[in-house]
Amino acid sequence: MNTLLSFVNRWQRGFPLVPSPFAAVAGYEGMGETEVIEAFAAARKAGWMARLGPVWAPRRLGWSTLAAARVPPDKLDAVAECVSIFPEVNHNYAREDEWNLWFVITSPSESRGRAILVAIERALDVPVIALPLRTEFFVDLGFDLTGEKKRAPIKAEVPTQASLSAEMEPLVHALSAGLPLVPHPYAAVGEAIGWSETAVIAQLEQWIGTRVVRRIGAVVRHRRLGYRANAMCVWDVSDDAVREAGERLALEPAVSLCYERFRAPPHWPYNLYAMIHGRDRETVLRERHRLGVELGLDRWPHRVLFSTKEYKQTGADYTGRER
């Protein structure tokens, strides 16, 4: 398993955009094409690779937001199950807080996404807050399973809001579940939607160049790999200090995601977020305490929300179509 894990870890980004990508990977690895396909298939079957394919950058293709609901504890599982039914929901977790259900909505446009949030709130009779992304510091660049890579300096990015065009919907939907594990995956995707292989590759290259796609590669399920202590750490940082704080926080190897979100007063005053994943709660809390002290973050109001249950984790599909 260690060899297979190292292999998948290397291919979380940089998966080749060529007609025979598995053959290209085989050349890099000194393996056969069939052996490479079987390795990715084994990782997916084991449950610790969710898919192989593009990871969309937030807000550059359609609209997305993190949302939270305040659910009576005895109704949490039932409400979460109903939320997960919506195809626009791609992540759905329970967390330790009064606001105890956290999920991500993706949609072709902001108006449709906000309508889904209203529908969820009304249908389930629970308060819901939306927390859209404001600034990226370190987002969707993979989950280093070795902890050996040093973090390069990162410049904050403020993504511009975009809507998904009808022309691109078929391709986005086809890619949302990942590339098929066949010798010519881009040709297979194109055939399913009436595109040529060349057109699929060219569009992905264009999206990579314009940062609509953050990376192409393996998307791992960290919880299945033993990283079950998943803490969302939040601070209410003053607006004039949040960018510097976020850029410093994003450099820390312990931080797997870091971003600024819009506040939702009066319910949720926090604007700076960092995800810390670990194998046990004590290690995560120790890292969280260190960061708060060394970076001076804990002079601002803060909370730590550990996830307690995963209800849904799929690739983002900005089309909102059923899979």
Side-chain angles (χ1 to χ4, degrees), residues 289-307:
H289 177 72
R290 180 186 66 81
L291 293 173
V293 172
E294 291 184 4
L295 301 183
L297 292 170
D298 286 351
R299 66 182 183 272
W300 289 292
H302 51 272
R303 289 194 204 184
V304 179
L305 290 75
F306 278 92
S307 64

Side-chain angles (χ1 to χ4, degrees), residues 6 24 65 172 212 227 251 298 306 309:
S6 296
T65 188
V172 171
V212 169
Y227 294 86
L251 288 172
D298 286 351
F306 278 92
K309 190 171 184 178

Side-chain angles (χ1 to χ4, degrees), residues 157-222:
E157 293 187 49
V158 180
T160 55
Q161 180 60 55
S163 295
L164 178 61
S165 69
E167 179 187 6
M168 292 299 146
E169 277 200 23
L171 181 58
V172 171
H173 182 67
L175 291 169
S176 65
L179 294 168
L181 301 181
V182 296
H184 301 283
Y186 303 117
V189 168
E191 184 177 357
I193 61 172
W195 285 43
S196 69
E197 177 184 64
T198 301
V200 171
I201 292 173
Q203 185 58 58
L204 282 167
E205 287 176 337
Q206 195 269 337
W207 278 336
I208 285 282
T210 55
R211 298 179 65 79
V212 169
V213 168
R214 179 68 78 222
R215 61 185 173 94
I216 299 177
V219 178
V220 301
R221 294 183 181 275
H222 51 80

Side-chain angles (χ1 to χ4, degrees), residues 7-20:
F7 167 79
V8 173
N9 192 52
R10 287 193 295 275
W11 291 102
Q12 288 189 65
R13 58 184 59 79
F15 189 72
L17 277 170
V18 296
S20 301

Side-chain angles (χ1 to χ4, degrees), residues 42-214:
R44 190 172 63 183
K45 184 177 180 180
W48 44 264
M49 185 183 83
R51 65 190 185 281
L52 176 70
V55 174
W56 312 108
R59 295 171 62 87
R60 288 184 173 85
L61 192 65
W63 187 78
S64 65
T65 188
L66 178 65
R70 191 172 59 205
V71 184
D74 61 331
K75 297 181 179 180
L76 183 58
D77 286 348
V79 170
E81 183 178 352
C82 293
V83 169
S84 293
I85 290 172
F86 285 83
E88 292 85 359
V89 173
N90 65 302
H91 283 60
N92 191 12
Y93 286 85
R95 295 193 180 277
E96 297 173 347
D97 194 80
E98 177 187 9
W99 293 90
N100 51 358
L101 188 65
W102 292 77
F103 53 97
V104 176
I105 291 275
T106 59
S107 68
S109 65
E110 181 173 356
S111 60
R112 180 168 170 181
R114 291 197 178 276
I116 294 296
L117 287 170
V118 171
I120 289 174
E121 187 171 44
R122 289 177 177 172
L124 302 178
D125 194 27
V126 294
V128 175
I129 53 176
L131 303 159
L133 182 72
R134 187 171 191 173
T135 309
E136 301 174 17
F137 300 114
F138 188 76
V139 179
D140 275 330
L141 298 177
F143 186 83
D144 183 16
L145 300 171
T146 67
E148 297 172 353
K149 292 186 177 180
K150 292 185 178 180
R151 194 71 57 84
I154 296 163
K155 185 177 181 181
E157 293 187 49
V158 180
T160 55
Q161 180 60 55
S163 295
L164 178 61
S165 69
E167 179 187 6
M168 292 299 146
E169 277 200 23
L171 181 58
V172 171
H173 182 67
L175 291 169
S176 65
L179 294 168
L181 301 181
V182 296
H184 301 283
Y186 303 117
V189 168
E191 184 177 357
I193 61 172
W195 285 43
S196 69
E197 177 184 64
T198 301
V200 171
I201 292 173
Q203 185 58 58
L204 282 167
E205 287 176 337
Q206 195 269 337
W207 278 336
I208 285 282
T210 55
R211 298 179 65 79
V212 169
V213 168
R214 179 68 78 222

